């Protein structure tokens, strides 16, 4: 079973005539001559949700989006690999997954396999890393986020070992929660453990001198489209890449790539073309750098394609400082949270096409308290930390013009402290995020 995958049941049985001694999980005992039939049953999904299962045998493969009778399959051992799928509706969708299994298809016979999908416990929730709250990591169910109020947190995540202080949060494609700890660790908490409060044990802990050589260590994290994990490191002023193969077990890691030359890097985001955007909180300047995808392949000091220095047009006159959170919307706009000035600004695709040092006044600037990181929900609303003890949602219409909008939804809770990281699973399909689901 894949690391971090929720524990679900998948039964694989053979029709009469295959023999009790046959093991569908042992390819050497499954003859590979002739053709047969597979009767595939899929259970556990809402009526309008299609499965996505890759059926593979050697170099042959096909993607299955419905159960039923599959005729003319080459005999032999086939591997069924379900992928996570999402339901529809709501601010944050429900997601479902099932484990991998094998089935033996025999010549002129019918095999049967049942794939049982089940809810991924980390889905349908907004996840936050906080300080001075009831827990270092908290989650609020989507059902409690449709209107302003004071709900209790749905999940209060404590940890063994303890979380000294979490900062950035990110999900992988299967709903496992990754956490950046400024003390010098990256941790993964498996999706199966995230349905209820309690002390959870990470199944992967990554350490090493690149993460733990000073204070602060990792600040923000983001996955690229290939499943590599990137992190900004405070003490070294570097952005590092850990390859997907390095993320499967607890270990001391050496980064595959280390990038310098990006000032004091904080927030991270990838655009649809694979370019990396980095918020630079260097003293006296507050820029957002675009690093070309081709510059991400090897270590070194990079020269950004563009470095955008945003200027304010707000009546308050606050300068833009501390770009700590970056998020793309479905139209390709880059939204930047300037935590030092309490402003969220929109950089349009045209803004992003500049080269070299660029100074501009974003056409949308929002004065919204103390945002650090950002996340878009399914209907285009933008979630952010607001003030200590509250989180806020700005509706799509509130993102269209400069001002100081009152949040469409303001959630104040006795459980909340000061919000740092913001993440939800699954991400909307239109966003350039590794954990998006169709």
């Amino acid at each position: 079973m894949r690391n971090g995958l929720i524990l679900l049941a998948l039964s694989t049985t053979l029709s009469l005539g295959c023999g009790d001694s046959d093991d569908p999980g042992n390819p050497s005992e499954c003859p590979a001559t002739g053709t047969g039939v597979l009767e595939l049953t899929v259970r556990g999904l809402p009526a309008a949700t299609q499965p996505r299962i890759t059926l593979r045998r050697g170099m042959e493969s096909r993607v299955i989006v419905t159960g039923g009778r599959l005729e003319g399959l080459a005999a032999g051992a086939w591997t069924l690999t379900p992928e996570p799928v999402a339901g529809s509706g709501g601010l944050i969708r429900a997601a479902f997954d099932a484990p991998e299994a094998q089935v033996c298809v025999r010549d002129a016979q019918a095999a049967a396999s049942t794939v049982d999908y089940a809810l991924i416990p980390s889905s349908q929730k907004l996840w936050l890393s906080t300080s001075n709250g009831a827990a270092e990591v908290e989650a609020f169910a989507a059902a409690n986020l449709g209107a302003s109020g004071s709900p209790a947190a749905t999940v209060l995540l404590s940890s063994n070992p303890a979380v000294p202080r979490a900062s950035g949060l990110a999900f992988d494609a299967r709903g496992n929660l990754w956490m950046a700890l400024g003390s010098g660790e990256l941790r993964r908490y498996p999706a199966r453990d995230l349905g209820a409060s309690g002390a959870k044990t990470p199944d992967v802990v990554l350490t090493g001198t690149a993460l733990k050589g000073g204070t602060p260590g990792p600040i923000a994290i983001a996955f690229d489209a290939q499943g590599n994990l990137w992190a900004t490191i405070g003490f070294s002023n570097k952005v590092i890449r850990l390859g997907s193969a390095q993320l499967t077990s607890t270990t001391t890691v050496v980064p595959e790539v280390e990038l310098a030359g990006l000032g004091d890097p904080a927030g991270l985001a990838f655009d649809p073309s694979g370019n990396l955007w980095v918020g630079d909180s260097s003293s006296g300047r507050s820029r957002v750098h675009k690093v070309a995808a081709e510059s991400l392949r090897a270590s070194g000091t990079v020269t950004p394609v563009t470095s955008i220095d945003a200027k304010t047009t707000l009546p308050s006159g606050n300068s833009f400082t501390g770009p700590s959170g970056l998020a793309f919307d479905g139209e390709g706009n880059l939204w930047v949270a300037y935590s030092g000035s309490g402003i969220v600004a929109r950089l349009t695709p045209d803004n992003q096409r500049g080269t070299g040092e660029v100074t501009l006044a974003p056409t949308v600037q929002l004065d919204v308290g103390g945002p650090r990181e950002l996340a878009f929900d399914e209907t285009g609303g933008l979630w952010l930390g607001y003030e200590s003890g509250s989180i806020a949602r700005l509706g799509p219409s509130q993102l269209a013009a400069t001002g100081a909008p009152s949040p469409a939804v303001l959630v104040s809770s006795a459980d909340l402290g000061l919000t740092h990281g913001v993440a939800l699973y699954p991400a909307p399909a239109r966003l350039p995020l590794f954990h998006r689901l169709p």
Side-chain angles (χ1 to χ4, degrees), residues 184-275:
E185 293 181 356
L186 297 172
R187 295 182 183 177
R188 184 180 77 179
Y189 290 84
R192 64 173 180 262
D193 290 345
L194 300 179
S197 298
K200 313 298 181 180
T201 301
D203 64 342
V204 174
V205 178
L206 305 179
T207 59
T209 55
L211 302 174
K212 208 177 180 70
T215 301
I219 299 171
I221 52 178
F223 283 94
D224 64 21
Q226 291 72 45
N228 305 306
L229 184 60
W230 293 77
T232 54
I233 308 299
F235 71 86
S236 64
N237 288 337
K238 290 184 177 180
V239 179
I240 67 170
R241 184 187 81 193
L242 302 178
S244 57
Q246 296 179 287
L247 308 180
T248 59
S249 60
T250 294
T251 187
T252 299
V253 292
V254 176
E256 292 182 342
V257 172
E258 297 187 44
L259 303 179
L262 298 170
D264 187 359
L268 294 175
F270 285 91
D271 66 23
S273 299
N275 305 304

Side-chain angles (χ1 to χ4, degrees), residues 348-370:
T348 66
D350 284 342
N351 296 152
Q352 299 166 32
R353 295 189 184 104
T355 57
E357 296 279 346
V358 175
T359 299
L360 57 83
T363 55
V364 174
Q365 303 180 21
L366 304 174
D367 192 345
V368 285

